[in-house]
Each structure stands twice: as C-alpha cells, then as structure tokens.
Amino acid sequence: MAIATISGTPLLPTKLHIVASGRKIEEGRGRGSEARMAAAASRVAVVGAGISGAVCASMLAGRGISVTVFDSGRGPGGRMSQRRESTEAGDLVFDHGAPYFTIANEEAMDLVTSWERMGVVAQWNERFGCFDVSTSKFVDLENVRIYWPKDGEKKKYVGVPGMNSVCKALCSHPGIQTKFQTTIGKLDWLEGMDSWLLSGSGGESLGYFDSVIVSDKSLFSSRHSTLTGRPPPLELVLFTGVLEHGDFIDTNIVPRLAEKLHDIPVRPCYALMLSFSEPLPEIPVKGFAFKNSKTLNWAFCDSSKPGRQYTTPLSECWVVHSTAEYADGIISRTGLKKHSATVLSEIAEELFREFEGTGLVKTRPFFMKAHRWGSAFPASAIGGEDLCLWDESRRLAICGDFCASPSIEGALLSGLRASSKLSNLLSSL
C-alpha cells in the first residue's frame, strides 16, 4: 500500500505511523468498497471557500458532481470576507479584504454578468484617485497601482450586500455540502483504495473522496508549521513499501508541484476598519491609493458601495490597508502567531495616526479596529498557462490567485480551470 501526502518542502524517507480515526491506515485494507460508497456520496472535496474554491465547487456541482466544501472560517469569502462588528450605534460591516474587483477576461466577464443578473454583484460607480502624501494633493487614477494592474476605465464590481455575497451564492448551489469552521489537519492519498482520506485538525475522519481541489495555500505552506508546530496537511512525498516493517522508498509524488509550491511569496498587510459619525469633507473621492507613504497603501469608503446600509444617514465606514513593508516590519518583531487584542489595538492607533497625519481626517472615529492579513495576498503566480496545478493520476487540483494572477479575476479564472480539468477527467472515466 502506498500513502501520498503533499508540503512545500520535500521530506526524507522515514518510518511512518499515520493514524486516522484512532486506527492505523493499514487497518483499512479490504474496506475499498466501503470507502467507495462514501466517495460516491461526496466524490469531490474542495478545501477553501474563497472565490476560487467557490467558483470551482459551483461549476462542478453544475455538472452533476457531488461536492463537499471545507473551510476553517465561519463562512465563505476568504479575502472577499465581510467583517461584522457590533457597536452601541448598531452593527457595522466592512469589506476588510479586497475592496472591489475588475474584469478583463471574456470568460470571466460572462460569469460576472450572470452574477450581476442574480443581484449578488453590482458596479461601483464612484470617483477614485491617488493621494500624494509628499504634496498633500490628489492626483489622477491613471497613476494608481495597488494590488491590481492599472484600472484605467475598467468597471469596478463589488459583491452585494457584501463582497462575500458572491461566495455565499456559489456555495449554496444545489449539490454542494458546506462544512465551515472545519480545519483540515491531514490529506492522505490511499494508493490501494484509489481515494483521498481527509482528516480534521483533531485527527477525526472527514471522509473519503475520489478527488480533491485545494484552494487554500496554507495547506501546503511552510508557514503552517511556523504557526502550528505541525507539518502542513498536504506533504509532497510518496512513501511506498511494507507498512508493517516501516521500510519506505521515496518516489516523490508530483515533483513539479513540490518545486512550484515551495514557499509562495506573499504581501502581508493590516486592515484598519473605521466608522465616522459624519462624512469626511476633506476627501473628494470614495477610494484612493497613497503615494509616497511607507505605512499606508490605500483607503476606500465601504459605505458608499451599492447595497450597503448606513448606521445613520450621515455616517461613513472606511477601510484603510497598510503597505506590505509596514506589515513586514511588525511581523518581523512579533512573529506569525496570532496577535493579542492589545497588540491589534496598538496597531490600529498607529495606522489611524498616519491617516490623520495626512490632513484628510479631522475627527476621531467612533469605531476603530485592525485586522492582520498575514498571507492572503500573493506576490506572484505559479500556475503558468494552465492557471492551476494539476495531478491527473491522483485527481488533485490546486487553484487560487497564487496560480493565475494576484487578483480576484485571477482567482476566479484559476477556479474555472481547475473545475474544467477535473470534470473532463471524471466524465471520461
């Protein structure tokens, strides 16, 4: 029997003692029919409910394939998540990840147009600009580069009533079962059973699946080990041999994937969520990038987006993102471990002082909170022309913006490509 698992860092052959649901995996021999019955009920596992995983899951379900989506969060969205905060003035909501997205690809545009017809996406028609901190002046949008290429005259789209609305709608497609607040602890390829076994962070079995789509790069990132002290759930080594004797031969499963997945560079940042009792009269636009600032990257007025509800008729909610350089500086001092509320409060104050120092803010917000995005924004794409990574022999696809381009459109296209490769393969079996 051979057991394959996948990590950004290849492992050396060693004695292996893998336990699933309290039993060593070799005890599962002879249970092939049982595993296949489970796989028939939930054939494809999609790990990660961001836009890439959600698109992939909905496309597969639309072709009659049974899909189970796993995500460690409370709901879908990834960096298209929406943050809800309760205050004395009422509930506040913030798109604290991606503020909007643009589309250039025709295939992606067809999909977005269908979302627009569904009412979960709308165009954000407001004025945008760029603020030069050195001159204290706004300049033209054509000079703006944030995480995306120059926008030019591209239409800006937002989810309605929140950026996560798109992922919510996609994950509710018939044929999709969702399991949120479920952290994947291990993905094992069972060669003798020709299926995948997924286990939770506590070692509990989450079921057998014919195929797996991974859209969450934390499953194979070396950062997983830094944060948890445990190996990534997906380790890129194939062990073969007789389990009883513990003698294994390293045949290195999909070495092309192992090389590409090793330590994908990311751009960390901090999001500052602010709510003001009145509009900010010094700001003539609803979104802008900062130029010549080492701390601030961009700011957007969330409450100006279509479908948003004001806490009061005049209140404004803003989201400000830091530069990657600022975030790197903090992470180098504090490490990747989760920040305490005190540390996040200090970061929020520091970022607000920088925002206030531009002269654009004259009043203090009645709500202020910071959030760290440690690895959500990739700095490069590794998928090549395929826009995803694919191992046909084990029916494993890896997709996300880190495979196509660091944008919502890139994530969307990567999910489409992964679903196409898998559905074509399954239809030919």
Side-chain angles (χ1 to χ4, degrees), residues 83 270-273 344-345 347-348 351 368-372:
R83 183 78 166 260
Y270 286 88
L272 176 65
M273 296 167 280
L344 284 175
S345 180
I347 292 170
L351 289 174
M368 179 168 64
K369 182 174 281 191
H371 172 85
R372 184 182 72 179

Side-chain angles (χ1 to χ4, degrees), residues 49-51 54 76-84 93-102 115 119-124 148 156-170 298 300 302 305-308 319 373 377 407-409:
I51 188 63
R79 66 176 166 122
M80 289 180 72
S81 296
Q82 186 178 68
R83 183 78 166 260
R84 183 175 296 275
V93 290
F94 300 91
D95 294 328
H96 61 314
Y100 67 91
F101 62 95
T102 60
W115 298 343
V120 296
V121 158
Q123 293 180 37
W124 190 16
W148 303 272
K156 295 174 179 61
Y157 293 94
V158 297
V160 178
M163 287 296 285
N164 61 350
S165 299
V166 179
C167 297
K168 282 184 176 180
L170 295 176
W298 54 254
F300 287 95
D302 246 20
K305 295 177 180 178
R308 271 55 176 183
V319 174
W373 291 103
F377 299 93
S407 64
I408 298 300
E409 181 180 28

Side-chain angles (χ1 to χ4, degrees), residues 258-418:
E259 181 180 351
K260 289 187 176 232
L261 292 172
H262 179 66
D263 210 14
I264 299 171
V266 297
R267 292 176 55 88
C269 73
Y270 286 88
L272 176 65
M273 296 167 280
L274 303 168
S275 190
F276 298 88
S277 298
E278 297 180 354
L280 305 180
E282 305 296 327
I283 304 178
V285 294
K286 295 304 182 184
F288 60 95
F290 291 94
K291 185 179 180 181
N292 295 317
S293 174
K294 295 181 179 179
T295 304
L296 304 178
N297 194 14
W298 54 254
F300 287 95
C301 180
D302 246 20
S303 49
S304 70
K305 295 177 180 178
R308 271 55 176 183
Q309 304 241 339
Y310 286 82
T311 303
T312 65
L314 295 178
S315 66
E316 282 192 348
C317 291
W318 284 78
V319 174
V320 182
H321 269 212
S322 78
T323 60
E325 293 74 18
Y326 171 82
D328 278 330
I330 292 180
I331 292 172
S332 66
R333 298 193 305 268
T334 63
L336 289 173
K337 296 290 185 181
K338 184 178 179 180
H339 289 329
S340 66
T342 300
V343 170
L344 284 175
S345 180
E346 292 170 353
I347 292 170
E349 285 287 350
E350 187 172 53
L351 289 174
F352 177 70
R353 285 197 299 270
E354 289 288 332
F355 192 23
E356 190 178 35
T358 63
L360 298 175
V361 183
K362 304 295 185 182
T363 60
R364 190 168 177 83
F366 67 82
F367 175 85
M368 179 168 64
K369 182 174 281 191
H371 172 85
R372 184 182 72 179
W373 291 103
S375 60
F377 299 93
S380 63
I382 61 173
E385 293 183 358
D386 285 341
L387 305 183
C388 66
L389 301 180
W390 171 241
D391 176 29
E392 181 175 321
S393 63
R394 293 171 180 84
R395 301 179 297 278
L396 168 69
I398 296 174
C399 62
D401 53 2
F402 56 91
C403 288
S405 67
S407 64
I408 298 300
E409 181 180 28
L412 187 163
L413 287 171
S414 185
L416 285 175
R417 293 294 181 273

Side-chain angles (χ1 to χ4, degrees), residues 153-196:
E153 297 302 318
K154 288 182 186 175
K155 297 176 181 177
K156 295 174 179 61
Y157 293 94
V158 297
V160 178
M163 287 296 285
N164 61 350
S165 299
V166 179
C167 297
K168 282 184 176 180
L170 295 176
C171 287
S172 64
H173 193 290
I176 297 177
Q177 181 182 9
T178 55
K179 295 188 177 182
F180 297 113
Q181 294 184 297
T182 302
T183 300
I184 301 297
K186 199 89 166 109
L187 292 96
D188 291 305
W189 170 253
L190 310 181
E191 190 79 17
M193 299 166 72
D194 194 34
S195 64
W196 289 90

